[in-house]
Each structure stands twice: as C-alpha cells, then as structure tokens.
C-alpha cells in the first residue's frame, strides 16, 4: 500500500443496528490474544529502548503488513509496531466480528463485548513487552480506527494520542469515558465524504462523541472513499510530528 488513495482492509457490508446489548460496558471481557510472532517492528530490540511506541492497527480482512507500508512516510522518532488482528476474516484478519451468520450486518455497530475482548488482547500484549515504552500512540484504519478509540476508552491513562482513520466509536457508554473527558487526549479523525463502508449512524455517533472526549483534529476529504489519500497522509504526518515535538 502506498500513500496514494487505497483501501487498506476496510469493513464490508451494511445493515440495521442492533441495540439489544447493555448500555454501559467496562473491560471485563476475555482477551483475544495477539500473536507476538506476527508483529512487524520498524526497529530491532536494541534500537527500541527509550523511544515512544506507535501501534498500527489494520482494517477488516487485512493484515499487519498493510498499514506498515506507511512507515517510511511517518516520523522517525517513534518505534512502529504493526499488529495482526486475532480473528481470521477472508484473506486476512479482523479485530471483531461484523455480524452473525444470517443476520443483517452493520460494520459500524459491533458487539461491545467483542470490542472489549479485542482491546484487552492488545493491552495484554503491551503488558508483556520486555521493556515498557515511555509513551504509546495509536494509529488505526477502519476497524483499526474503532480499536484505537476503544483502547483509549479501556485504558485512558495508557495512551498519549490516537489517529483514527475512516473508523468510528462503539455505540455503548464505557467506564473509561469520564476519564477521557478529563484528559482530552489529542485525536486525529480523518474520513472521506464518499466512504461506502462506514454507515452514517456510526459517523454521527463518532462526531458527537469525539469533541466531548478528546482534543479533536477532524479532517473531511471531499470525494474520498474508504481509503487513505495523499492529502490525508500529509495531515497525519503533521499531527504526529506535533505530538512528538510536544
């Protein structure tokens, strides 16, 4: 995947929203484990010491090598780690299911338990690193973008910022939301006006949630689909540089 318009493993299919689950969730779900052998690193173990960590989270049906191709365009200061999602999905992997067999599917309304389990797996992987980074940032596309926001909610004191691309926030309230209202972490949210994958209800929910729970940088790209454009990549780099300069 290059820096021009591309679709790095987005969610497919749309449908009606299921609102039957509980309205407030926490972080008690069983973790979906991350495969440590599948992680792609931008630096060897010896070169990671003392540097911040930037976690890269791919989209539905994709893999750890997809967004990792952005690494040459990103700031050099952080160590980059691209994770593989835990669930097989078509030719690639998914962080959480997008619907049950035979049911209408809304990729913007996953189960709160599934979101919690996926985020718990990432947190367990972080806990298991031999040396803890001084700070951890998040960058995710589509399902990976939803994961970035879910990780902020599940561990609001663990992360420094998030870049959320063509994704959304889970629909249920979360026990970490109040802490995020206090911290107001920097979040970059980029999306296109011609995205056929993320439903409008998920966009509207995210538009309402982010200003109340973050210091938001929002960018909307006219005519862009479920992808990352050259213009968006430039603004992502600007945002990241500002975080590391700070």
């Amino acid at each position: 995947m290059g820096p021009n318009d591309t679709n790095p493993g987005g969610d497919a299919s749309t449908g009606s929203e299921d609102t039957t689950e509980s309205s407030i969730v926490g972080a008690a779900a069983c973790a979906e484990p991350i495969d440590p052998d599948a992680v792609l690193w931008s630096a060897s173990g010896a070169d990671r010491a003392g540097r911040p960590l930037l976690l890269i989270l791919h989209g539905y049906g994709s893999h750890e090598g997809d967004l990792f191709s952005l690494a040459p365009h990103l700031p050099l200061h952080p160590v980059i780690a691209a994770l593989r999602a835990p669930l097989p999905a078509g030719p690639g992997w998914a962080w959480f299911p997008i619907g049950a067999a035979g049911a209408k599917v809304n990729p913007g309304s996953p189960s709160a338990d599934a979101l919690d389990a996926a985020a718990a797996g990432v947190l367990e992987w972080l806990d298991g690193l031999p040396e803890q980074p001084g700070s951890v940032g998040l960058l995710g596309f589509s399902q990976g973008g939803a994961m970035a926001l879910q990780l902020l909610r599940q561990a609001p004191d663990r992360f420094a910022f998030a870049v959320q691309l063509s994704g959304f926030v889970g629909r249920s309230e979360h026990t970490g939301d109040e802490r995020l209202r206090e911290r107001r972490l920097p979040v970059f949210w980029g999306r296109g006006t011609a995205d056929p994958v993320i439903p409008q209800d998920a966009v509207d929910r995210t538009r309402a949630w982010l200003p109340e729970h973050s210091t938001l940088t929002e960018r909307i790209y006219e005519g862009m689909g479920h992808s990352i454009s050259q213009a968006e990549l430039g603004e992502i780099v600007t945002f990241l540089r500002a975080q590391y300069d700070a």
Side-chain angles (χ1 to χ4, degrees):
M1 182 188 69
N4 295 322
D5 287 357
T6 182
N7 185 348
D11 307 292
S13 185
T14 59
S16 60
E17 181 171 353
D18 175 12
T19 58
T20 58
E21 63 187 280
S22 64
S23 61
I24 300 178
V25 297
C30 294
E32 292 285 359
I34 297 297
D35 181 357
D37 294 330
V39 178
L40 295 179
W41 292 92
S42 67
S44 65
D47 292 332
R48 298 172 200 165
R51 295 170 63 187
L53 178 63
L54 177 62
L55 292 187
I56 302 291
L57 309 167
H58 64 76
Y60 181 87
S62 190
H63 55 83
E64 66 279 7
D66 191 359
L67 288 179
F68 191 70
S69 64
L70 293 178
H73 306 280
L74 302 180
L76 296 175
H77 186 50
V79 175
I80 295 172
L83 308 187
R84 176 188 293 174
L87 306 178
W93 304 85
W95 296 101
F96 46 81
I98 59 173
K104 289 185 177 180
V105 174
N106 184 336
S109 294
S111 156
D113 286 343
L115 275 170
D116 273 342
V122 174
L123 292 170
E124 284 192 359
W125 174 83
L126 272 174
D127 288 342
L129 292 178
E131 182 173 337
Q132 290 298 306
S135 70
V136 184
L138 301 162
L139 187 155
F141 176 84
S142 193
Q143 267 204 0
M147 281 291 295
L149 295 185
Q150 185 68 16
L151 284 161
L152 294 187
R153 304 176 89 184
Q154 208 142 313
D157 292 306
R158 189 74 178 268
F159 301 101
F161 63 84
V163 176
Q164 196 269 86
L165 309 173
S166 301
F168 56 89
V169 70
R171 67 181 181 272
S172 301
E173 294 182 20
H174 198 283
T175 54
D177 286 355
E178 185 58 38
R179 178 60 175 152
L180 288 178
R181 289 188 184 97
E182 297 171 359
R183 292 205 68 197
R184 299 283 178 169
L185 293 172
V187 173
F188 179 98
W189 180 29
R191 59 188 173 87
T193 61
D195 188 335
V197 173
I198 305 302
Q200 189 60 46
D201 65 279
V203 174
D204 293 343
R205 179 198 321 131
T206 307
R207 186 190 294 125
W209 187 88
L210 277 172
E212 297 181 1
H213 298 85
S214 72
T215 300
L216 178 62
T217 299
E218 181 179 3
R219 296 290 184 267
I220 303 171
Y221 301 93
E222 187 66 33
M224 189 178 80
H226 198 62
S227 60
I228 299 172
S229 70
Q230 181 71 47
E232 183 175 34
L233 179 58
E235 297 202 77
I236 293 167
V237 171
T238 297
F239 176 85
L240 290 175
R241 284 178 177 157
Q243 308 317 308
Y244 294 117
D245 288 346

